[in-house]
Every structure is written in C-alpha cells, then in structure tokens.
Amino acid sequence: MKGLRTVYVCTECAYQTPKWLGKCPRCGAWNSFAEDVEETSPGAATAGTASKRTSMIPTAPDNRAVGFADLEIPAYMRQNTGLGELDRVLGGGLVHGSVVLLSGEPGIGKSTLLMQICDALGESRRVLYVSGEESGGQLKLRARRLGVRGQNLFILTETNIEKILAETDRVKPDVVIVDSIQTIYAATVNSTPGSVTQVKETALSFINKAKNEGMSVIMVGHVNKEGSIAGPKVLEHMVDAVLYFEGERQQSYRIIRAIKNRYGSTNEIGVFEMTDRGLLEVENPSEMLLAGRPRNISGNCAVCTLEGTRPLIAEIQALVTQTAFPAPRRTTNGIDYNRMCLIIAVLEKRLGLKFYQNDVYLNVIGGLHLDEPASDLSVALALISSVTDRIIPDDLIALGEVGLAGECRAVANLEVRVREAARLGFTTAVVPYRNLEKRKLEVPGIRLIPVKGIYEALGLLREREK
C-alpha cells in the first residue's frame, strides 16, 4: 500500500536520506539538506536512492547514437531581445533551443525585464509567457505601463506542468518564459511546489522540451537568504546560461551578469536604470559611476576595470579615522576584505603608515565589485590619501597590481583602460613601469607616469601637493 514519507534531499547533488545530516556524505557540502515529501510503495528504494514515480519528462523518439564523422555543426541562430545590454551578456542574443535561468532578489525587476523583451521577440517569434505568480490582468497592466504591444504574445497563468506542456503543444511558441520555476509543480510528484524534487522534475521537462523541439526557454529562479538560486544546485548545471540580476532596490541602477554561458563569455555585464517606464539601458556606465564625484577630497581615487570587453571607470573611496575601540574596525564594500587587509599590511611595512590605530572603511561607488588585481594601486593611493590627508588630483587615475614587496606589477589591456580614461577627461594615469618597459604607449590627451612601486606613487602625491 502506497504512503508518504519525509526525506531530506541534498540541494547540491540530490542525495537522499531519511534523516537530516549536517554534511552530505556524497558531495561533502555542509547544511545542504532540505526536507521533502515523496510517495513510497512496498519494496521502495532505500535511503540515498530515488523512489518510484511516473516522470513527466518527454523523450525524443528513435534517439540513436550517431557517428562522430557524421555530426554536423549546428548554426545556432540568435534572436535579439530588444535590449542591447542583455544581448551583450547572452553573447549576442537569445540562442534558439537554449535554456536560460534568470535569478535575482524579489522586487529587483526580473518580471519587468522579461515583459520588455517580449515586445522585441514578438516581432518575428511567437512568445508564450507562463506566469505562476500573477494573474493575466496584472500582466496586462504591467505591459501597458511599459508600452508592450503584445504582438504574437500569449499569456498562460498556470502552475501544473502537465497542462503547461499541453498548451505549449497547442500554441507552438518559439520562446517560452516561465515566471517562476519554483511555482510549477508536477501532479505525479508528491511534494510541495518549490521543493528540490519538484524543481528538478519540472525544470527537466522544460529543458527536454526545448532541446527536442528547438524552442528557447527562459526560466526565473528565486534566491534563498544566502543569495544563491533556491532549489537543487544541479539545476544550474542543466541549463545553458545562468544570469544574475543584481542591485539595491533603494537605488535605480541594476547590473545583470552571467555566471555560466555555453554560447558566450561569462565576463560581460549589462547595466540598466529602473524608471517608471521600465528598465532603460545605460550605454555608458562609466559616466554614471562618476556622476556626483566629490572634488578636492582626500581618500578618493579612480580606477579602470574590465568587465569582459567593456572598460569601466570606478571610484574608490577610503576613510581612515582614529578608532575608539581596542581593536580597529575594517569594513569593505565592493572589494575583497582580505585583499584590503593585504594592501594595508604592505603600506604599514613598506611606508611606515600607521593603520593599526585607525578604523578603515573602503567603498566602491555604484555597487560594483572589483575582483581584479589592477585596482590594487588605486586602493593603495586612496588609503594613503586618507591617512595623510593629501588630496589626489581629480584628473588622475591609477592602474596596477601591488605585490607584498610594495612593487607595482603590470596589468593586462592597459591601452584599452587608458583610452577609456582619456575619453572621460582624465589627463594623468599612474601605470606600472613594466607595461611601458618594452612597448611605448602614447594616448592623445593623457600623460602616463610609470612607477615601480608604491614608494614612487607616494612621492608623486608629495610633488603634486607642492
């Protein structure tokens, strides 16, 4: 006789156990077990294996092995989404037959983004928008506010995967948008919607449908309190691209980046501005990041970072103040904490600056996260400027990696960074000596000052002060 039992499923590798474990014995992940309910029958599988149930995953008929020499390279056609910033992150557009997972915090603008791209996709493709969270009237109101005409756009408010697949066969869309995958459930799986088993089963149904019939699928995924995608980790491995929509709801700017993309680079980012008319593309993010930059203030230095092929000018602010606690505070926003501690240690050892008596606060304006070593010299100059109260010229930008000996190491793509700085009005660039040792670089409108280490950079600030 069939019954129900409670199992715990690892969200990383889908390992099952009848009781909660702190560490998964298969993949070694900690605190990764989520409670689930499944149907059992006499002689059902024991812990660690899947129970018997009917699967809704469609299979392709006559699927046989093909010789390697007989394989053909497919011509992956791409469709523009109407948002150039999103196309940049996707690698040039939405690939036919691909599956994209879009994730982000609640209220960040995922549904707004998807409704906007429906307008451009509907000009040449049939789009099916499956909503499990909103009614048709709510979607109609959003579309009217965003100016979406709804050409070749079909709306389906359903959460049952069997009915969704049946409606997909009737409409025969080229693009399917699922908002969100955590609300879809399969009646053959005895667990609540959003559970590990349900998410994996319904996602596999959409993935197989996309691969067998050549339609593109965009799925929205919720995030948990740690900021990662809710559900099994294997979901990110099954899809073709994983996009994260980031930003603060209190601010108007949003950043979309790819952490996985089988058809393009994962280093590109797209920048949007949230307005009452929806998401607007920010084609020149550097000007946006430098807007409102204070003048003649210590602890402020500019740096040029590369996000894929796009150079971005970011502003680094440092505040060093005398501490009132036995142990000084160290706080960072946008820069790795350990990297900041490393640079502070180098400045204390090589320049004799006293940071151990001061609180240090470091911030990157605009919500960017700088993870490349080319920003080290700019961070060091901002810290030096704040602790000595020397003002860095507003038209100066610093590029370079700082080593433990205080040396300034070369960075990649220096010419691209310098040209972007010159375009935005910077007249002086402090660059590593190694970059100009073998190749002479001349960029109109900007003077390059090579330095071998942070001591020379400190001397440069003293000369500017005089």
Side-chain angles (χ1 to χ4, degrees), residues 17 53 66 73 139 192 213 249 277 309 380 409 426 432 435:
T17 177
R53 61 174 178 267
V66 180
I73 299 178
L139 295 175
T192 59
E213 301 185 9
R249 283 179 290 179
R277 296 174 295 166
T309 59
R409 296 179 175 268
F426 290 90
N435 279 104

Side-chain angles (χ1 to χ4, degrees), residues 212-229:
N212 295 336
E213 301 185 9
M215 65 181 185
S216 303
V217 176
I218 303 178
M219 299 186 299
V220 175
H222 292 168
V223 296
N224 52 29
K225 60 182 180 180
E226 287 82 13
S228 58
I229 300 177

Side-chain angles (χ1 to χ4, degrees), residues 328-404:
R329 296 188 61 185
R330 302 284 188 264
T331 303
T332 64
N333 182 24
I335 294 179
D336 183 66
Y337 175 83
N338 294 324
R339 194 71 185 176
M340 181 197 68
C341 293
L342 184 147
I343 296 176
I344 291 176
V346 172
L347 297 179
E348 287 184 333
K349 178 69 175 180
R350 306 303 175 187
L351 299 182
L353 300 176
K354 298 180 180 180
F355 288 93
Y356 58 86
Q357 298 176 347
N358 300 308
D359 295 332
V360 178
Y361 304 92
L362 207 60
N363 181 41
V364 180
I365 301 299
L368 283 180
H369 185 81
L370 304 182
D371 54 0
E372 63 171 343
S375 60
D376 289 352
L377 184 58
S378 181
V379 173
L381 287 179
L383 291 171
I384 294 173
S385 173
S386 182
V387 74
T388 61
D389 205 22
R390 289 190 174 95
I391 298 176
I392 298 177
D394 298 328
D395 60 348
L396 183 143
I397 189 171
L399 303 167
E401 178 184 358
V402 176
L404 293 181

Side-chain angles (χ1 to χ4, degrees), residues 41 132 140 157 184 209 335 350:
S41 58
K140 183 72 173 182
T157 56
I184 310 300
K209 192 76 171 177
I335 294 179
R350 306 303 175 187

Side-chain angles (χ1 to χ4, degrees), residues 56-61 208 212:
M56 288 301 303
I57 303 174
T59 57
N208 282 275
N212 295 336

Side-chain angles (χ1 to χ4, degrees), residues 115-311:
M115 183 59 69
Q116 286 186 235
I117 68 176
C118 288
D119 203 20
L121 293 174
E123 294 180 358
S124 58
R125 304 290 175 183
R126 295 168 67 91
V127 182
L128 176 62
Y129 194 110
V130 181
S131 177
E133 301 178 348
E134 297 178 288
S135 64
Q138 291 174 319
L139 295 175
K140 183 72 173 182
L141 287 175
R142 178 184 292 117
R144 180 179 300 176
R145 176 174 58 86
L146 300 175
V148 177
R149 295 165 296 176
Q151 183 181 2
N152 292 326
L153 175 61
F154 298 85
I155 302 296
L156 175 62
T157 56
E158 182 59 61
T159 57
N160 185 281
I161 184 63
E162 292 90 342
K163 297 180 181 179
I164 294 174
L165 295 179
E167 194 66 13
T168 302
D169 294 334
R170 187 187 69 85
V171 177
K172 298 187 182 303
D174 300 300
V175 180
V176 176
I177 298 176
V178 183
D179 187 11
S180 66
I181 190 62
Q182 275 82 12
T183 61
I184 310 300
Y185 73 95
T188 55
V189 179
N190 290 314
S191 59
T192 59
S195 63
V196 174
T197 307
Q198 286 282 11
V199 170
K200 184 173 65 174
E201 187 78 12
T202 53
L204 278 173
S205 300
F206 285 114
I207 293 173
N208 282 275
K209 192 76 171 177
K211 301 303 180 183
N212 295 336
E213 301 185 9
M215 65 181 185
S216 303
V217 176
I218 303 178
M219 299 186 299
V220 175
H222 292 168
V223 296
N224 52 29
K225 60 182 180 180
E226 287 82 13
S228 58
I229 300 177
K233 191 70 174 179
V234 70
L235 178 62
E236 300 182 32
H237 300 288
M238 294 188 298
V239 299
D240 298 311
V242 180
L243 309 183
Y244 269 89
F245 209 31
E246 305 171 350
E248 298 292 337
R249 283 179 290 179
Q250 294 79 12
Q251 299 180 358
S252 59
Y253 293 104
R254 305 286 190 268
I255 296 177
I256 185 170
R257 66 176 73 246
I259 63 172
K260 174 187 177 182
N261 191 356
R262 290 175 179 165
Y263 306 109
S265 173
T266 58
N267 297 321
E268 301 287 353
I269 68 168
V271 184
F272 298 90
E273 182 181 4
M274 177 64 77
T275 66
D276 55 352
R277 296 174 295 166
L279 291 167
L280 299 181
E281 299 178 71
V282 180
E283 298 180 356
N284 194 346
S286 297
E287 293 183 357
M288 176 268 294
L289 294 172
L290 293 178
R293 185 185 180 193
R295 302 293 180 181
N296 298 322
I297 298 296
S298 62
N300 189 302
C301 188
V303 64
C304 185
T305 181
L306 284 180
E307 293 287 350
T309 59
R310 166 182 286 180

